[in-house]
Amino acid sequence: MTDRDKPSPATDCVHAGETHLPAGMGINTPVVTSTAFDYREGGVRYPRYANALNHEVVAGKIAALEGAEAARVTASGMGAISAVFLSLMKPGDHAVILDGLYGGTTDLIEGLLEPMGLRFSTWDGDPASLAGLFEDDTRLLMVESPTNPLLSIVDLAATAAVTREHGVVSFIDNTFATPILQRPIEHGFDLVMHSATKYLGGHSDLLCGALAGTRELIEAIHPDIVRLGATLNGQDLALLERSIKTLAIRVERASDNAGLLAQRLEDHAGVECVFHPGLAGHPGHSVAASQMSGFGAMLSFRLDDSVDPAGFLESLRLIRPAVSLGGVETTISQPSKTSHAKIGDEKRAALGIDDRLMRLSVGIEGVDDLWDDLDRALGGSSL
Ligand SMILES: Cc1ncc(COP(=O)(O)O)c(C=O)c1O
């Protein structure tokens, strides 16, 4: 199939999954709020079973965007991750996880899955060392790329090749990249998840998740999504559909803004270093360039010793300190006090996360307004 045989991601954002409605219903998917359906018409329907109209439309859109055979929409990103581990592993089974996954994923593993007898090893992200971590009972490999908060990059094709050779399911949290910039299934991954609370929702007002992959895997996981009660409700699905229609333009604009801000921050006397895969000096730059169509809207930077972190945050006027990410508005967080507050001091230091590290979720505002805000808060010493 040539690229012209399938629609561009921007077109899929708008049209994939849509249903053609009877005359008089207009062009938008109606919001089906019912939780009760007549079982004599078309079988047993119930929203938690993920077979109501809004679910089918949004799952179709997400599957098309990820180039997946099937998808499900969940009540949160953690709902999707929980269902994957609980479905594909049983007590005694082993999984390999990238070191430094999202804190909620680590908390799920340490607080629930390990006490249930599931076993985990951590991986440093080097494809050459991956096969050595696999055991007879290894079922799953889970990664993120780019990672939070230092935007490290995993070579997706090399990683998927090793997992496939060993019969291990490859699973990626694609929240930071979005399917607009990175489609891991094209690089050989089996399963992709999103905290759709972030870019897919995009307006900091929805809590939801998504899972996409082969039909076989999605059908294997589906019963546990239903058992866990992790399906998203109809009203939020309708809002998510509306949001995804603008995903491509939001992500492209935010990613361009982030690329410009990363370069300007790198040249600023108030900044010690910047982490963004679009920068030529980033260790993952060339791999990111080969597997992403843009470098993403997340970046981190470490303040110079001369800048007081609390004073810097206090001085920002447009950019709001906030824990979530992926909204149309630019937000900033201090990982040592937010996403990585709970991990021990030693681990935080080993990961290079200190009070001077700032994580920026760049939005779609005018980039010069964002720069003016950052530059002023940094003491106006841009070169
Ligand atoms: C990278 C990443 N993955 C997963 C999650 C969990 O998603 P949710 O909060 O939608 O459950 C988050 C939430 O912050 C995240 O940032």
Side-chain angles (χ1 to χ4, degrees):
M1 190 151 97
T2 67
D3 275 355
R4 288 303 310 144
D5 291 332
K6 60 180 167 63
S8 72
T11 303
D12 275 340
C13 283
V14 179
H15 293 293
E18 68 190 355
T19 43
H20 288 280
L21 300 161
M25 290 289 284
I27 61 170
N28 289 319
T29 316
V31 188
V32 178
T33 55
S34 292
T35 53
F37 296 83
D38 187 333
Y39 57 85
R40 296 166 305 172
E41 297 161 2
V44 177
R45 261 181 214 279
Y46 186 60
R48 182 162 52 81
Y49 299 166
N51 59 5
L53 176 70
N54 298 96
H55 198 121
E56 285 170 354
V57 168
V58 180
K61 205 180 268 307
I62 291 171
L65 281 167
E66 287 291 357
E69 288 171 5
R72 291 290 183 278
V73 193
T74 53
S76 68
M78 289 314 301
I81 296 173
S82 305
V84 169
F85 282 122
L86 291 168
S87 281
L88 302 186
M89 295 176 73
K90 59 180 187 326
D93 281 350
H94 175 253
V96 176
I97 53 167
L98 183 72
D99 200 8
L101 289 181
Y102 165 64
T105 307
T106 314
D107 183 54
L108 169 73
I109 290 170
E110 292 174 357
L112 184 70
L113 303 178
E114 283 181 335
M116 287 172 54
L118 275 52
R119 299 180 303 111
F120 293 86
S121 304
T122 48
W123 174 50
D124 62 6
D126 177 2
S129 66
L130 183 56
L133 295 172
F134 289 159
E135 303 175 6
D136 289 347
D137 293 331
T138 305
R139 305 281 171 240
L140 204 62
L141 166 80
M142 182 177 181
V143 304
E144 288 171 22
S145 184
T147 62
N148 180 22
L150 296 178
L151 290 306
S152 303
I153 300 294
V154 172
D155 183 331
L156 300 185
T159 301
V162 179
T163 53
R164 190 141 297 181
E165 200 186 314
H166 289 78
V168 171
V169 172
S170 48
F171 174 40
I172 180 168
D173 181 337
N174 203 27
T175 300
F176 271 34
T178 82
I180 303 305
L181 304 181
Q182 174 170 281
R183 283 173 292 285
I185 289 170
E186 288 175 3
H187 301 285
F189 266 66
D190 300 309
L191 261 183
V192 180
M193 70 74 53
H194 287 275
S195 168
T197 313
K198 311 299 176 334
Y199 292 99
L200 272 58
H203 298 75
S204 306
D205 59 2
L206 275 178
L207 180 71
C208 44
L211 203 56
T214 59
R215 190 167 307 286
E216 191 186 346
L217 278 170
I218 295 296
E219 282 177 3
I221 297 162
H222 170 87
D224 284 324
I225 295 177
V226 173
R227 289 179 186 120
L228 289 165
T231 321
L232 190 62
N233 69 81
Q235 309 214 24
D236 285 347
L237 279 157
L239 285 172
L240 182 58
E241 182 189 356
R242 187 166 72 174
S243 292
I244 296 175
K245 288 185 183 186
T246 58
L247 179 68
I249 53 169
R250 284 189 281 108
V251 168
E252 282 158 11
R253 166 67 175 257
S255 177
D256 288 351
N257 278 355
L260 276 167
L261 292 180
Q263 281 168 14
R264 292 184 192 176
L265 285 165
E266 204 174 34
D267 289 339
H268 200 290
V271 173
E272 186 187 287
C273 57
V274 181
F275 304 90
H276 186 257
L279 295 171
H282 186 282
H285 176 68
S286 60
V287 174
S290 72
Q291 66 192 21
M292 300 176 78
S293 57
F295 296 105
M298 298 299 300
L299 67 90
S300 297
F301 57 98
R302 183 169 288 114
L303 296 172
D304 184 72
D305 276 339
S306 59
V307 181
D308 167 48
F312 165 72
L313 288 172
E314 205 55 45
S315 309
L316 291 165
R317 289 180 201 156
L318 193 61
I319 300 172
R320 304 265 295 271
V323 287
S324 197
L325 62 103
V328 289
E329 63 287 307
T330 301
T331 55
I332 193 161
S333 82
Q334 203 175 0
S336 65
K337 301 263 189 281
T338 56
S339 55
H340 292 70
K342 283 196 200 140
I343 64 171
D345 291 348
E346 210 174 301
K347 176 128 200 233
R348 214 168 26 242
L351 288 171
I353 298 168
D354 58 24
D355 285 352
R356 289 187 293 124
L357 186 75
M358 300 288 155
R359 188 193 74 182
L360 205 59
S361 167
V362 180
I364 63 170
E365 302 96 329
V367 71
D368 289 331
D369 297 323
L370 296 172
W371 178 245
D372 287 349
D373 203 28
L374 287 166
D375 183 37
R376 189 187 44 251
L378 286 166
S381 39
S382 73
L383 300 177

